[in-house]
Amino acid sequence: MKSKEPISLKERHQRRTTFLSHIKGGVAVLFSAPHLIRNNDVHHAYRQDSNFFYLTGLEEPESACIFDPQSKKPFTLFVEPRDKVKELWEGRMLGLEGAREKLGADTALSSKDSNVFDEAVIEALQKADRLYYRVGVNPLQDQRMFFLMARAAKKLGRTGRSLWTICDPSEVLGEMRLIKTSSEITCLQVAANITAQAHTEAMRYCKPGMYEFELEAALFHSFRAAGAGRLGYGSIVASGENACVLHYVNNDRKMTEKDLILIDAGAEFEYYTADITRCFPVGNRFSPEQREVYQSVLLAQKECVAMARPGRTLKEIHSHAVEVLTEELKRLKVLKGTTASLIKSEAYRPYYPHGTGHWLGMDVHDLGRYYEETYSNSRKLKAGMVFTIEPGLYFGADSKAPAKLKGIGVRIEDDILITEKGHQVLTSAVPKEVEEIESLRG
Ligand code: GLY
Ligand code: MN
Ligand code: MN
């Protein structure tokens, strides 16, 4: 299911209007992502910066934009002019006309001439009291922007004003991106469906003796064949003890019948990504120990999912995951003591070292504040927020767990949309009950 224009020009225009209303009195300058070199003259596949794409819809590097709320033409886009030779080698470019007609830029200017950009920034700055610009991404851009501020201040004459306060546009954009519109939810649901199908197919396809990368390749094939643009993040295909490495990337181990495998992989559809983790036995059935650990994590995961509704917080959900997993660690004879004292001393941490969820959207760890007013005040969930619930238990070879549990790592991750009345699990199509998984493996 690949709709023609999932995020319409109208919706992107609405985003710009909202963004402009939030930065009143200021001016925003955003740069496109660079086209990164992989080695020598080979580039990585291009992926636009999420904020830049969210506002502009432009997928070309060497671009920038200025948002000036005080101008009658507030949206200026700087793009590379069309170049026949470049188009011959790299494909069709949008050009200045395309930037106006296809993306709705009020003004389109060439990004080739740095003077044009510099003068436009200086002019906009002189009317503004703040600059919205993300410092720290590219030191050369930072230097350029600082220099332009100094030039703009000088141009104002003897006003006595200091340089402009710099605000991170990600703060405003993070808040906007946190509450998903219906078309964004559609994109996320498509990404979730593609991902769910790929995970289910991987459960069927996996055989003892295969290498992890064979499953990685199968997942990628399923994603692309179903219309996903790319991966949302590097796929983790971790068998046996590799599952205890949280960001395992090698995916090069040969799997045996005795292994449990953990797959954490998500497809990106129209710049929105899913994020699913499932575990299943490489043989037909879970071993008794694998099943025990799996059931413990599943219990925590299902209870946490059931909690998701408006007014709840991610902190409450995490605390509940910690409580259930600590109880389960006692049952599994990994920990001894009262649950309260084990939680207080964070005795569970060697076995559950990560959080229970994160915002999800254009970035797998999406933008958006996690707190209200103070850092310790966790934010209340609201309809339109999308996040993951992903508890896990990991018993590495060097852990203090009983020998029979060593080498088992389990995480179960679903993507949750908060609705007016409760929640919807966007990734419910991929099985997670032991019986369902064993029947697929059989
Ligand atoms: N796949 C990254 C995460 O689960 O946070
Ligand atoms: Mn996640
Ligand atoms: Mn994940």
Side-chain angles (χ1 to χ4, degrees):
M1 169 184 164
K2 188 163 163 86
S3 52
K4 218 170 151 227
E5 202 183 6
I7 305 296
S8 66
L9 191 57
K10 192 170 160 213
E11 179 158 347
R12 241 179 261 284
H13 181 74
Q14 183 55 51
R15 289 172 179 180
R16 292 192 285 266
T17 307
T18 308
F19 180 59
L20 285 161
S21 75
H22 285 304
I23 64 162
K24 263 198 190 121
V27 59
V29 179
L30 283 87
F31 289 94
S32 61
H35 200 177
L36 292 173
I37 290 172
R38 199 192 75 141
N39 55 303
N40 194 17
D41 56 357
V42 179
H43 284 77
H44 282 286
Y46 189 67
R47 204 270 188 191
Q48 186 56 280
D49 171 77
S50 297
N51 279 339
F52 195 89
F53 191 73
Y54 179 81
L55 289 172
T56 67
L58 177 65
E59 279 196 289
E60 292 184 17
E62 306 297 330
S63 318
C65 56
I66 299 179
F67 288 95
D68 180 357
Q70 298 185 66
S71 167
K72 284 206 177 74
K73 292 177 159 190
F75 172 35
T76 303
L77 197 48
F78 297 84
V79 292
E80 276 195 86
R82 290 185 61 189
D83 172 336
K84 288 247 176 308
V85 177
K86 196 166 176 179
E87 287 194 344
L88 172 69
W89 288 89
E90 294 178 20
R92 176 84 73 183
M93 300 164 78
L94 196 69
L96 274 61
E97 208 179 296
R100 279 188 298 268
E101 284 173 9
K102 298 213 170 80
L103 302 182
D106 298 317
T107 308
L109 296 170
S110 166
S111 61
K112 280 271 190 208
D113 184 347
S114 59
N115 274 335
V116 173
F117 173 81
D118 290 357
E119 291 308 322
V121 173
I122 288 168
E123 194 192 319
L125 265 177
Q126 288 177 75
K127 299 174 284 169
D129 62 3
R130 273 158 297 142
L131 169 65
Y132 288 84
Y133 165 71
R134 183 155 219 192
V135 177
V137 177
N138 178 334
L140 289 177
Q141 263 156 18
D142 290 352
Q143 217 171 37
R144 184 175 183 186
M145 293 304 296
F146 298 152
F147 186 58
L148 292 179
M149 277 197 280
R151 278 180 59 194
K154 208 169 217 171
K155 233 176 163 178
L156 281 172
R158 189 165 291 138
T159 55
R161 76 150 297 150
S162 58
L163 291 190
W164 286 259
T165 299
I166 300 178
C167 307
D168 189 342
S170 293
E171 178 99 18
V172 173
L173 291 166
E175 291 307 287
M176 289 172 63
R177 282 170 50 184
L178 185 55
I179 307 294
K180 271 71 181 176
T181 61
S182 63
S183 44
E184 289 182 296
I185 291 165
T186 302
C187 290
L188 281 163
Q189 184 65 75
V190 175
N193 293 348
I194 293 172
T195 306
Q197 189 180 335
H199 274 261
T200 312
E201 281 169 12
M203 279 185 199
R204 284 204 190 95
Y205 176 69
C206 178
K207 283 193 184 62
M210 271 186 178
Y211 283 88
E212 292 164 345
F213 52 69
E214 293 179 65
L215 284 183
E216 180 190 359
L219 286 158
F220 188 66
H221 176 268
S222 304
F223 288 171
R224 289 293 279 142
R230 55 180 83 81
L231 299 175
Y233 53 90
S235 301
I236 297 169
V237 182
S239 63
E241 205 205 335
N242 291 338
C244 301
V245 180
L246 299 178
H247 285 168
Y248 177 71
V249 289
N250 291 352
N251 299 348
D252 59 359
R253 181 176 170 272
K254 193 170 183 172
M255 298 177 283
T256 75
E257 201 172 12
K258 293 200 168 100
D259 295 331
L260 193 66
I261 180 156
L262 178 155
I263 298 182
D264 183 346
E268 185 181 288
F269 178 77
E270 301 291 344
Y271 277 78
Y272 291 83
T273 188
D275 182 10
I276 300 182
T277 307
R278 287 294 186 269
C279 299
F280 57 88
V282 174
N284 286 352
R285 300 175 69 86
F286 288 85
S287 73
E289 293 78 24
Q290 290 167 350
R291 179 189 297 250
E292 288 273 292
V293 177
Y294 187 88
Q295 295 282 27
S296 298
V297 176
L298 185 62
L299 176 72
Q301 208 258 2
K302 283 169 40 176
E303 288 194 9
C304 287
V305 171
M307 289 172 73
R309 60 177 167 273
R312 280 278 189 211
T313 68
L314 289 185
K315 200 169 176 181
E316 286 168 342
I317 291 175
H318 178 63
S319 297
H320 189 69
V322 164
E323 204 178 309
V324 175
L325 292 175
T326 302
E327 289 282 351
E328 291 300 301
L329 285 165
K330 281 167 64 178
R331 200 178 58 76
L332 293 165
K333 309 221 175 332
V334 178
L335 297 179
K336 253 199 282 191
T338 66
T339 305
S341 70
L342 292 170
I343 291 174
K344 191 155 182 242
S345 65
E346 300 196 339
Y348 58 87
R349 268 208 164 258
Y351 313 102
Y352 183 39
H354 58 77
T356 304
H358 51 81
W359 308 136
L360 182 73
M362 297 183 77
D363 297 313
V364 64
H365 296 162
D366 213 26
L367 291 185
R369 264 188 289 111
Y370 285 86
Y371 62 92
E372 282 171 11
E373 286 143 29
T374 60
Y375 296 135
S376 56
N377 207 5
S378 185
R379 181 171 202 158
K380 287 194 170 52
L381 295 171
K382 260 174 77 175
M385 290 179 175
V386 176
F387 60 97
T388 64
I389 293 187
E390 50 179 304
L393 284 176
Y394 311 89
F395 304 107
D398 298 334
S399 72
K400 295 202 173 99
K404 61 180 187 175
L405 297 181
K406 284 189 182 181
I408 298 178
V410 172
R411 176 166 66 255
I412 304 171
E413 177 173 31
D414 279 308
D415 303 344
I416 315 296
L417 162 71
I418 295 293
T419 58
E420 293 297 338
K421 294 219 173 90
H423 71 264
Q424 193 184 323
V425 182
L426 300 177
T427 47
S428 60
V430 52
K432 63 181 173 186
E433 296 296 334
V434 165
E435 302 70 33
E436 290 175 309
I437 292 172
E438 286 189 342
S439 108
L440 264 177
R441 295 297 302 136

